Amino acid sequence: MEMTEMTGVSLKRGSLAVEDNDSVAPAEEAKRQKVSECCLTTGRAGLENASPPSGENVLGPPGAVSAGEGTENSDARLEEEEEEEEDGLSEEGDEEEEAESFADMMKHGLTELDVGITKFVSSHQGFSGILKERYSDFVVHEIGKDGRVSHLDDLSVPVDEEAPSEDMLTVLTAEEKQSLEELQLFKNKETSVAIEVIEDTKEKRTVIHQAIKSLFPGLETKTEDREGKKYIVAYHTAGRKALAKVSTAADPRKHSWPKSRGSYCHFVLYKENKDTMDAINVLSKYLRVKPNIFSYMGTKDKRAITVQEIAVLKITAQRLAHLNKCLMNFKLGNFSYQKNPLKLGELQGNQFTVVLRNITGTDAQVQQAMNSLKEIGFINYYGMQRFGTTAVPTYQVGRAILQNSWAEVMDLILKPRSGAEKGYLVKCREEWARTRDPAAALRKLPVRRCVEGQLLRGLSKYGMKNMVSAFGIIPRNNRLMYIHSYQSYVWNNMVSKRIEEYGLKPVPGDLVLKGATATYIEEEDVDNYSIHDVVMPLPGFDVIYPKHKISEAYREMLTADNLDIDNMRHKIRDYSLSGAYRKVVIRPQNVSWEVVAYDDPKIPLFNTDVDNLEGKPPPVFASEGKYRALKMDFALPPSTYATMAIREVLKMDTSIKNQTQLNTAWLR
């Protein structure tokens, strides 16, 4: 088995974002999520995190956080503004300040070398290809704990054991049903439909409520007295006023849930160009529920087509299926009722289907590269998504947190910087640098859910003398993202040193796992192991380090960062690092590939689940064409990065900075 250094390989054109396994790609995708006219526009309400146990969390940028109680004026006003933003377009400023090209903005971004990614396991010659020219060239199917791959192949709604009664089917007139249907599909300008209750009894009102909810799952109902008469008023679940009217003890969403039915509706979510938490926030807005009633096993990235299982508490399959009429780039199906929610980390991994377009490698080169990926695998580096896209990497913030340097933490997050930034963020940073007034800087932000907005709200509430509390207003998982990024930075660098020093074979003093416990490889046992067994620690107080030169390298690196490797406990418990172990080399499973010829760069090169549901025939390829593409399928365990597997095949730098510069050169 050979090991090679990273070399510069010409990549004709790169994408602006890449995908990892249960993680969040930080690069912003310009294309906006579209919704059909039958639904209201909704905003982006934060971001996600996947939190498997240990230090291997693959976390995304910050999500929404509610403003805390504070002074009657400033904090209350901030909270009110935050609520207004929640019902409006939270991406309001996203299309501003596009004058500077992305390539120019990314001149200051990170490269793989900056984060310790320097080695390859294979000796084949690299070749160029276009990674994610279209987001549909990257498809992820979740693999559940039972080994089943999630597919969307059934849009039907399960028949409830408690079928609607005859009264429910006949209590509404044809005219009333027509009005309710038009209301449900936003086909009229009315905000509600009122149905007078003739022969008013509680039983009759109950039947009308149930009939409307059963036949028109996009609607809610309430009872009103009007001039001495009882009316059942049906309305769409969208809108602040509607929400305010029903958020009482008589909330119609709290109607009885059949005891024979599991409390959780499980479904398969197919989504295009949207990450998991963004998707859940969209669904929760249309259903008018809180996002925390949804559960899932892992987060999926934005610039891709992804298929995964979701569970939601006491929302019927009918109501969920109704969203298929309203939302574009989403599909919900494979509904079932279960007793339990889903839990983060309860998955075996993900199955990837990736198309690399316009490849330059010969058939022999492709064969050699893919055989190496199948038989040897790739170095299990943390991918570029882990470290952010701007000139201030997330690991630098993490290092400052571990050093207890809170002024530096504030400065790193809020100071002006070069790189990929929206115009409103630039103005916010400039205001902060000029005035050090958090309220003034916050006023420059139309979108307050970003980490800068959350931190500025914290500083407005707690003041500069209590920076720890101000930082604490950021959701916990997103704060931990920074220190996990630092751990990943150390791990990448140490693994590169380990491979530089000892190559791709186990040596005495390496670590392997026996169950969950790390043990040393002894001289007499070396032949019993391969490089695929070797693990390396993420630094922490509950791990051991290799018994060879790399142990000292860990110590030197942390000492240079003013950290004590023998004391990784922090005075704030959340920031104490226990550490974890991570395999050095990963061998993908279920690897297959084919090279196809095509002429039109815009045509899809394989069918998605939705294509199959719609009965579209699979693409037929000519024996020759203008271009050649490599279509590859493989499965990876959680917390590993598909981009690192692709990097091993192409022998290219996967950083956004490198890809964008090559992309720009190719376009010119």
Side-chain angles (χ1 to χ4, degrees):
M1 195 183 300
E2 297 185 47
M3 172 272 296
T4 59
E5 287 279 355
M6 174 99 184
T7 54
V9 176
S10 172
L11 175 69
K12 282 192 175 179
R13 187 179 181 193
S15 72
L16 305 185
V18 283
E19 207 87 14
D20 70 277
N21 202 6
D22 292 329
S23 175
V24 183
E28 288 295 333
E29 166 59 31
K31 184 177 177 183
R32 294 286 165 259
Q33 172 73 23
K34 295 179 181 178
V35 293
S36 69
E37 292 179 1
C38 76
C39 288
L40 300 178
T41 307
T42 63
R44 185 173 175 220
L47 299 138
E48 69 302 337
N49 65 78
S51 303
S54 86
E56 289 194 30
N57 297 356
V58 183
L59 300 176
V65 59
S66 57
E69 295 178 7
T71 60
E72 186 176 344
N73 295 325
S74 62
D75 283 344
R77 186 167 62 252
L78 288 175
E79 187 167 349
E80 186 178 323
E81 289 170 357
E82 190 77 8
E83 287 176 356
E84 286 174 3
E85 180 195 329
E86 186 173 327
D87 269 346
L89 283 170
S90 66
E91 291 191 7
E92 200 170 319
D94 278 5
E95 294 181 12
E96 296 175 358
E97 305 293 333
E98 297 289 349
E100 186 179 18
S101 76
F102 194 85
D104 290 335
M105 295 164 80
M106 285 312 303
K107 285 176 185 174
H108 308 279
L110 295 171
T111 65
E112 289 184 347
L113 186 63
D114 296 327
V115 294
I117 301 172
T118 61
K119 304 293 182 184
F120 293 99
V121 301
S122 58
S123 57
H124 73 268
Q125 183 181 347
F127 53 91
S128 69
I130 304 174
L131 174 60
K132 296 176 87 171
E133 181 178 35
R134 300 162 59 84
Y135 67 77
S136 55
D137 284 347
F138 205 107
V139 177
V140 186
H141 289 270
E142 188 172 72
I143 305 172
K145 60 182 178 181
D146 58 359
R148 183 176 52 84
V149 179
S150 291
H151 281 279
L152 182 78
D153 52 22
D154 183 3
L155 299 182
S156 64
V157 174
V159 177
D160 221 320
E161 291 179 9
E162 301 187 16
S165 66
E166 188 66 26
D167 286 347
M168 286 174 59
L169 298 175
T170 58
V171 72
L172 299 172
T173 67
E175 185 180 350
E176 288 167 345
K177 288 179 182 177
Q178 176 69 24
S179 298
L180 290 164
E181 175 74 13
E182 290 176 355
L183 176 66
Q184 184 187 41
L185 298 178
F186 293 95
K187 288 184 177 178
N188 60 28
K189 295 182 180 178
E190 301 297 326
T191 57
S192 63
V193 170
I195 297 170
E196 184 180 353
V197 184
I198 310 297
E199 305 170 10
D200 177 40
T201 63
K202 183 177 180 181
E203 290 74 18
K204 181 72 175 287
R205 294 197 304 270
T206 299
V207 169
I208 296 174
H209 281 299
Q210 290 177 342
I212 293 172
K213 289 171 185 171
S214 174
L215 298 173
F216 306 97
L219 302 179
E220 293 286 13
T221 58
K222 59 184 175 177
T223 303
E224 282 189 1
D225 281 309
R226 296 182 181 179
E227 299 176 355
K229 295 180 180 180
K230 293 276 189 186
Y231 286 84
I232 305 298
V233 179
Y235 55 93
H236 205 283
T237 53
R240 180 179 292 278
K241 291 180 180 177
L243 181 62
K245 287 178 181 175
V246 299
S247 53
T248 65
D251 188 335
R253 278 197 294 277
K254 293 186 173 63
H255 63 277
S256 63
W257 185 266
K259 292 180 180 178
S260 59
R261 181 198 287 166
S263 294
Y264 294 87
C265 185
H266 286 229
F267 61 95
V268 169
L269 173 65
Y270 168 103
K271 61 182 180 61
E272 299 180 358
N273 206 29
K274 204 77 171 172
D275 63 48
T276 299
M277 263 319 296
D278 279 353
I280 284 174
N281 282 319
V282 169
L283 298 180
S284 65
K285 277 179 178 289
Y286 285 99
L287 295 168
R288 278 298 165 186
V289 295
K290 292 182 178 179
N292 63 5
I293 71 169
F294 290 86
S295 58
Y296 46 90
M297 294 182 287
T299 58
K300 305 291 179 278
D301 283 359
K302 178 176 180 178
R303 189 169 167 77
I305 291 174
T306 67
V307 184
Q308 69 181 116
E309 190 172 351
I310 305 286
V312 60
L313 176 65
K314 291 188 177 179
I315 299 291
T316 64
Q318 278 183 309
R319 287 186 67 191
L320 293 166
H322 171 70
L323 297 177
N324 287 333
K325 300 178 182 179
C326 297
L327 297 173
M328 289 179 65
N329 300 347
F330 286 89
K331 263 307 189 245
L332 289 69
N334 296 80
F335 302 103
S336 66
Y337 293 106
Q338 309 286 342
K339 292 181 180 179
N340 299 309
L342 296 168
K343 293 182 180 177
L344 276 171
E346 278 189 340
L347 72 168
Q348 278 193 19
N350 293 285
Q351 180 75 33
F352 293 86
T353 301
V354 179
V355 169
L356 303 174
R357 291 180 182 253
N358 200 16
I359 59 168
T360 61
T362 64
D363 287 348
Q365 281 178 299
V366 171
Q367 186 80 3
Q368 188 183 2
M370 293 306 299
N371 277 330
S372 174
L373 182 68
K374 182 177 182 178
E375 293 165 11
I376 303 173
F378 62 96
I379 301 169
N380 194 19
Y381 286 123
Y382 286 96
M384 298 303 297
Q385 304 93 306
R386 190 76 161 184
F387 306 104
T389 58
T390 69
V392 179
T394 50
Y395 72 79
Q396 291 184 4
V397 180
R399 180 169 55 202
I401 294 169
L402 294 172
Q403 292 169 341
N404 227 27
S405 302
W406 292 102
E408 185 182 357
V409 172
M410 304 297 115
D411 188 49
L412 285 169
I413 294 174
L414 295 175
K415 71 180 181 181
R417 63 186 64 178
S418 305
E421 290 266 89
K422 295 295 179 185
Y424 55 78
L425 264 178
V426 173
K427 291 173 184 174
C428 168
R429 295 187 192 287
E430 289 172 348
E431 183 69 24
W432 171 254
R434 189 173 61 82
T435 65
R436 293 286 175 181
D437 181 344
L442 194 58
R443 284 193 289 271
K444 300 290 184 182
L445 281 180
V447 179
R448 308 247 172 113
R449 292 185 185 88
C450 58
V451 75
E452 293 83 3
Q454 292 164 342
L455 181 55
L456 288 167
R457 280 184 26 241
L459 290 170
S460 296
K461 180 175 181 178
Y462 294 106
M464 290 295 290
K465 291 185 178 178
N466 194 349
M467 289 183 281
V468 174
S469 295
F471 184 68
I473 205 171
I474 298 168
R476 179 178 182 271
N477 279 338
N478 300 311
R479 286 180 273 127
L480 297 184
M481 170 191 72
Y482 292 114
I483 58 174
H484 292 154
S485 175
Y486 178 74
Q487 283 181 302
S488 305
Y489 170 71
V490 172
W491 194 90
N492 278 1
N493 278 278
M494 292 300 99
V495 164
S496 291
K497 282 184 180 295
R498 157 67 181 76
I499 293 172
E500 172 74 27
E501 190 70 33
Y502 300 111
L504 290 164
K505 61 183 188 301
V507 297
D510 273 336
L511 293 168
V512 292
L513 290 179
K514 291 187 177 176
T517 305
T519 60
Y520 295 108
I521 297 179
E522 303 297 340
E523 184 83 48
E524 59 272 19
D525 294 328
V526 167
D527 293 338
N528 296 330
Y529 298 101
S530 76
I531 192 64
H532 299 98
D533 300 310
V534 177
V535 297
M536 294 268 285
L538 287 92
F541 60 78
D542 198 25
V543 294
I544 59 175
Y545 295 88
K547 278 185 179 176
H548 48 53
K549 290 181 181 178
I550 304 307
S551 178
E552 190 55 35
Y554 271 97
R555 184 175 297 277
E556 288 172 2
M557 186 171 185
L558 268 68
T559 300
D561 287 339
N562 294 317
L563 295 172
D564 181 0
I565 198 170
D566 299 315
N567 182 17
M568 298 301 289
R569 294 186 187 275
H570 196 279
K571 60 172 66 175
I572 299 168
R573 186 177 176 183
D574 269 358
Y575 309 136
S576 291
L577 293 178
S578 61
Y581 300 98
R582 181 176 176 88
K583 286 199 169 184
V584 170
V585 173
I586 289 289
R587 184 161 42 202
Q589 300 298 305
N590 307 326
V591 179
S592 63
W593 67 93
E594 64 176 324
V595 175
V596 299
Y598 65 102
D599 291 316
D600 184 352
K602 295 181 180 177
I603 63 164
L605 298 182
F606 60 90
N607 273 7
T608 65
D609 284 358
V610 169
D611 292 333
N612 293 331
L613 275 170
E614 294 172 351
K616 289 184 181 177
V620 178
F621 304 109
S623 56
E624 293 185 3
K626 276 189 199 176
Y627 312 106
R628 292 160 67 245
L630 171 59
K631 176 176 172 285
M632 51 200 294
D633 290 270
F634 54 90
L636 294 176
S639 197
T640 53
Y641 288 73
T643 48
M644 294 295 99
I646 295 164
R647 167 187 181 269
E648 186 67 42
V649 170
L650 294 180
K651 293 286 187 76
M652 60 173 242
D653 183 333
T654 60
S655 67
I656 299 173
K657 177 178 180 178
N658 184 63
Q659 292 182 46
T660 308
Q661 289 171 348
L662 290 165
N663 179 29
T664 305
W666 182 80
L667 289 173
R668 286 172 180 164

